[in-house]
mmCIF file with all atom_site columns, all heavy atoms in Angstrom:
data_model
loop_
_atom_site.group_PDB
_atom_site.id
_atom_site.type_symbol
_atom_site.label_atom_id
_atom_site.label_alt_id
_atom_site.label_comp_id
_atom_site.label_asym_id
_atom_site.label_entity_id
_atom_site.label_seq_id
_atom_site.pdbx_PDB_ins_code
_atom_site.Cartn_x
_atom_site.Cartn_y
_atom_site.Cartn_z
_atom_site.occupancy
_atom_site.B_iso_or_equiv
_atom_site.pdbx_formal_charge
_atom_site.auth_seq_id
_atom_site.auth_comp_id
_atom_site.auth_asym_id
_atom_site.auth_atom_id
_atom_site.pdbx_PDB_model_num
ATOM 1   N N   . MET B 1 102 ? -144.825 177.459 76.138 1.00 97.00 ? 102 MET B N   1
ATOM 2   C CA  . MET B 1 102 ? -145.316 177.943 77.435 1.00 97.00 ? 102 MET B CA  1
ATOM 3   C C   . MET B 1 102 ? -144.745 179.337 77.656 1.00 97.00 ? 102 MET B C   1
ATOM 4   O O   . MET B 1 102 ? -143.628 179.486 78.170 1.00 97.00 ? 102 MET B O   1
ATOM 5   C CB  . MET B 1 102 ? -144.882 177.014 78.565 1.00 97.00 ? 102 MET B CB  1
ATOM 6   C CG  . MET B 1 102 ? -145.293 175.558 78.400 1.00 97.00 ? 102 MET B CG  1
ATOM 7   S SD  . MET B 1 102 ? -147.082 175.308 78.339 1.00 97.00 ? 102 MET B SD  1
ATOM 8   C CE  . MET B 1 102 ? -147.533 175.983 79.920 1.00 97.00 ? 102 MET B CE  1
ATOM 9   N N   . ILE B 1 103 ? -145.486 180.359 77.245 1.00 97.00 ? 103 ILE B N   1
ATOM 10  C CA  . ILE B 1 103 ? -145.015 181.733 77.371 1.00 97.00 ? 103 ILE B CA  1
ATOM 11  C C   . ILE B 1 103 ? -145.518 182.315 78.690 1.00 97.00 ? 103 ILE B C   1
ATOM 12  O O   . ILE B 1 103 ? -146.707 182.219 79.011 1.00 97.00 ? 103 ILE B O   1
ATOM 13  C CB  . ILE B 1 103 ? -145.525 182.592 76.203 1.00 97.00 ? 103 ILE B CB  1
ATOM 14  C CG1 . ILE B 1 103 ? -145.235 181.902 74.862 1.00 97.00 ? 103 ILE B CG1 1
ATOM 15  C CG2 . ILE B 1 103 ? -144.882 183.979 76.250 1.00 97.00 ? 103 ILE B CG2 1
ATOM 16  C CD1 . ILE B 1 103 ? -143.775 181.577 74.642 1.00 97.00 ? 103 ILE B CD1 1
ATOM 17  N N   . THR B 1 104 ? -144.596 182.872 79.470 1.00 96.00 ? 104 THR B N   1
ATOM 18  C CA  . THR B 1 104 ? -144.963 183.393 80.791 1.00 96.00 ? 104 THR B CA  1
ATOM 19  C C   . THR B 1 104 ? -144.612 184.871 80.909 1.00 96.00 ? 104 THR B C   1
ATOM 20  O O   . THR B 1 104 ? -143.995 185.450 80.021 1.00 96.00 ? 104 THR B O   1
ATOM 21  C CB  . THR B 1 104 ? -144.189 182.650 81.901 1.00 96.00 ? 104 THR B CB  1
ATOM 22  O OG1 . THR B 1 104 ? -142.814 183.079 81.872 1.00 96.00 ? 104 THR B OG1 1
ATOM 23  C CG2 . THR B 1 104 ? -144.247 181.144 81.690 1.00 96.00 ? 104 THR B CG2 1
ATOM 24  N N   . ASP B 1 105 ? -144.971 185.456 82.061 1.00 94.00 ? 105 ASP B N   1
ATOM 25  C CA  . ASP B 1 105 ? -144.475 186.798 82.358 1.00 94.00 ? 105 ASP B CA  1
ATOM 26  C C   . ASP B 1 105 ? -143.031 186.654 82.840 1.00 94.00 ? 105 ASP B C   1
ATOM 27  O O   . ASP B 1 105 ? -142.465 185.561 82.796 1.00 94.00 ? 105 ASP B O   1
ATOM 28  C CB  . ASP B 1 105 ? -145.360 187.487 83.412 1.00 94.00 ? 105 ASP B CB  1
ATOM 29  C CG  . ASP B 1 105 ? -145.439 186.683 84.702 1.00 94.00 ? 105 ASP B CG  1
ATOM 30  O OD1 . ASP B 1 105 ? -144.512 185.889 84.977 1.00 94.00 ? 105 ASP B OD1 1
ATOM 31  O OD2 . ASP B 1 105 ? -146.436 186.827 85.431 1.00 94.00 ? 105 ASP B OD2 1
ATOM 32  N N   . ALA B 1 106 ? -142.436 187.740 83.303 1.00 93.00 ? 106 ALA B N   1
ATOM 33  C CA  . ALA B 1 106 ? -141.005 187.709 83.631 1.00 93.00 ? 106 ALA B CA  1
ATOM 34  C C   . ALA B 1 106 ? -140.754 187.580 85.134 1.00 93.00 ? 106 ALA B C   1
ATOM 35  O O   . ALA B 1 106 ? -139.670 187.886 85.611 1.00 93.00 ? 106 ALA B O   1
ATOM 36  C CB  . ALA B 1 106 ? -140.322 188.956 83.085 1.00 93.00 ? 106 ALA B CB  1
ATOM 37  N N   . LEU B 1 107 ? -141.755 187.127 85.896 1.00 93.00 ? 107 LEU B N   1
ATOM 38  C CA  . LEU B 1 107 ? -141.570 186.996 87.341 1.00 93.00 ? 107 LEU B CA  1
ATOM 39  C C   . LEU B 1 107 ? -140.842 185.692 87.638 1.00 93.00 ? 107 LEU B C   1
ATOM 40  O O   . LEU B 1 107 ? -141.467 184.652 87.896 1.00 93.00 ? 107 LEU B O   1
ATOM 41  C CB  . LEU B 1 107 ? -142.920 187.026 88.056 1.00 93.00 ? 107 LEU B CB  1
ATOM 42  C CG  . LEU B 1 107 ? -143.652 188.368 87.994 1.00 93.00 ? 107 LEU B CG  1
ATOM 43  C CD1 . LEU B 1 107 ? -145.063 188.244 88.534 1.00 93.00 ? 107 LEU B CD1 1
ATOM 44  C CD2 . LEU B 1 107 ? -142.864 189.414 88.790 1.00 93.00 ? 107 LEU B CD2 1
ATOM 45  N N   . HIS B 1 108 ? -139.511 185.727 87.603 1.00 95.00 ? 108 HIS B N   1
ATOM 46  C CA  . HIS B 1 108 ? -138.720 184.512 87.800 1.00 95.00 ? 108 HIS B CA  1
ATOM 47  C C   . HIS B 1 108 ? -139.040 183.863 89.144 1.00 95.00 ? 108 HIS B C   1
ATOM 48  O O   . HIS B 1 108 ? -139.205 184.545 90.152 1.00 95.00 ? 108 HIS B O   1
ATOM 49  C CB  . HIS B 1 108 ? -137.236 184.847 87.719 1.00 95.00 ? 108 HIS B CB  1
ATOM 50  C CG  . HIS B 1 108 ? -136.777 185.144 86.326 1.00 95.00 ? 108 HIS B CG  1
ATOM 51  N ND1 . HIS B 1 108 ? -136.652 184.166 85.366 1.00 95.00 ? 108 HIS B ND1 1
ATOM 52  C CD2 . HIS B 1 108 ? -136.457 186.311 85.725 1.00 95.00 ? 108 HIS B CD2 1
ATOM 53  C CE1 . HIS B 1 108 ? -136.252 184.714 84.229 1.00 95.00 ? 108 HIS B CE1 1
ATOM 54  N NE2 . HIS B 1 108 ? -136.129 186.019 84.416 1.00 95.00 ? 108 HIS B NE2 1
ATOM 55  N N   . GLY B 1 109 ? -139.166 182.525 89.108 1.00 93.00 ? 109 GLY B N   1
ATOM 56  C CA  . GLY B 1 109 ? -139.436 181.783 90.334 1.00 93.00 ? 109 GLY B CA  1
ATOM 57  C C   . GLY B 1 109 ? -140.911 181.636 90.635 1.00 93.00 ? 109 GLY B C   1
ATOM 58  O O   . GLY B 1 109 ? -141.312 180.736 91.377 1.00 93.00 ? 109 GLY B O   1
ATOM 59  N N   . ARG B 1 110 ? -141.733 182.516 90.064 1.00 91.00 ? 110 ARG B N   1
ATOM 60  C CA  . ARG B 1 110 ? -143.189 182.401 90.257 1.00 91.00 ? 110 ARG B CA  1
ATOM 61  C C   . ARG B 1 110 ? -143.915 182.951 89.024 1.00 91.00 ? 110 ARG B C   1
ATOM 62  O O   . ARG B 1 110 ? -144.898 183.670 89.119 1.00 91.00 ? 110 ARG B O   1
ATOM 63  C CB  . ARG B 1 110 ? -143.627 183.143 91.528 1.00 91.00 ? 110 ARG B CB  1
ATOM 64  C CG  . ARG B 1 110 ? -143.059 184.549 91.601 1.00 91.00 ? 110 ARG B CG  1
ATOM 65  C CD  . ARG B 1 110 ? -143.185 185.161 92.992 1.00 91.00 ? 110 ARG B CD  1
ATOM 66  N NE  . ARG B 1 110 ? -142.523 186.455 93.019 1.00 91.00 ? 110 ARG B NE  1
ATOM 67  C CZ  . ARG B 1 110 ? -143.094 187.612 92.687 1.00 91.00 ? 110 ARG B CZ  1
ATOM 68  N NH1 . ARG B 1 110 ? -144.353 187.624 92.302 1.00 91.00 ? 110 ARG B NH1 1
ATOM 69  N NH2 . ARG B 1 110 ? -142.414 188.748 92.746 1.00 91.00 ? 110 ARG B NH2 1
ATOM 70  N N   . ALA B 1 111 ? -143.372 182.577 87.865 1.00 93.00 ? 111 ALA B N   1
ATOM 71  C CA  . ALA B 1 111 ? -143.905 183.105 86.600 1.00 93.00 ? 111 ALA B CA  1
ATOM 72  C C   . ALA B 1 111 ? -145.338 182.629 86.380 1.00 93.00 ? 111 ALA B C   1
ATOM 73  O O   . ALA B 1 111 ? -145.717 181.532 86.778 1.00 93.00 ? 111 ALA B O   1
ATOM 74  C CB  . ALA B 1 111 ? -143.017 182.651 85.451 1.00 93.00 ? 111 ALA B CB  1
ATOM 75  N N   . ARG B 1 112 ? -146.124 183.496 85.734 1.00 93.00 ? 112 ARG B N   1
ATOM 76  C CA  . ARG B 1 112 ? -147.506 183.167 85.386 1.00 93.00 ? 112 ARG B CA  1
ATOM 77  C C   . ARG B 1 112 ? -147.576 182.939 83.890 1.00 93.00 ? 112 ARG B C   1
ATOM 78  O O   . ARG B 1 112 ? -146.929 183.646 83.122 1.00 93.00 ? 112 ARG B O   1
ATOM 79  C CB  . ARG B 1 112 ? -148.434 184.324 85.765 1.00 93.00 ? 112 ARG B CB  1
ATOM 80  C CG  . ARG B 1 112 ? -148.500 184.600 87.244 1.00 93.00 ? 112 ARG B CG  1
ATOM 81  C CD  . ARG B 1 112 ? -149.642 183.819 87.881 1.00 93.00 ? 112 ARG B CD  1
ATOM 82  N NE  . ARG B 1 112 ? -149.401 183.537 89.297 1.00 93.00 ? 112 ARG B NE  1
ATOM 83  C CZ  . ARG B 1 112 ? -150.225 182.818 90.055 1.00 93.00 ? 112 ARG B CZ  1
ATOM 84  N NH1 . ARG B 1 112 ? -151.318 182.286 89.520 1.00 93.00 ? 112 ARG B NH1 1
ATOM 85  N NH2 . ARG B 1 112 ? -149.960 182.591 91.320 1.00 93.00 ? 112 ARG B NH2 1
ATOM 86  N N   . ILE B 1 113 ? -148.378 181.962 83.485 1.00 94.00 ? 113 ILE B N   1
ATOM 87  C CA  . ILE B 1 113 ? -148.541 181.684 82.063 1.00 94.00 ? 113 ILE B CA  1
ATOM 88  C C   . ILE B 1 113 ? -149.376 182.800 81.435 1.00 94.00 ? 113 ILE B C   1
ATOM 89  O O   . ILE B 1 113 ? -150.441 183.138 81.940 1.00 94.00 ? 113 ILE B O   1
ATOM 90  C CB  . ILE B 1 113 ? -149.240 180.334 81.853 1.00 94.00 ? 113 ILE B CB  1
ATOM 91  C CG1 . ILE B 1 113 ? -148.377 179.204 82.398 1.00 94.00 ? 113 ILE B CG1 1
ATOM 92  C CG2 . ILE B 1 113 ? -149.547 180.117 80.375 1.00 94.00 ? 113 ILE B CG2 1
ATOM 93  C CD1 . ILE B 1 113 ? -149.072 177.874 82.486 1.00 94.00 ? 113 ILE B CD1 1
ATOM 94  N N   . VAL B 1 114 ? -148.864 183.387 80.352 1.00 94.00 ? 114 VAL B N   1
ATOM 95  C CA  . VAL B 1 114 ? -149.640 184.438 79.677 1.00 94.00 ? 114 VAL B CA  1
ATOM 96  C C   . VAL B 1 114 ? -150.131 183.953 78.320 1.00 94.00 ? 114 VAL B C   1
ATOM 97  O O   . VAL B 1 114 ? -151.036 184.528 77.728 1.00 94.00 ? 114 VAL B O   1
ATOM 98  C CB  . VAL B 1 114 ? -148.809 185.726 79.492 1.00 94.00 ? 114 VAL B CB  1
ATOM 99  C CG1 . VAL B 1 114 ? -148.469 186.335 80.840 1.00 94.00 ? 114 VAL B CG1 1
ATOM 100 C CG2 . VAL B 1 114 ? -147.544 185.445 78.690 1.00 94.00 ? 114 VAL B CG2 1
#
Side-chain angles (χ1 to χ4, degrees):
Chain B
M102 304 298 301
I103 310 303
T104 73
D105 58 24
L107 293 171
H108 287 288
R110 49 195 175 87
R112 296 268 153 183
I113 297 169
V114 295

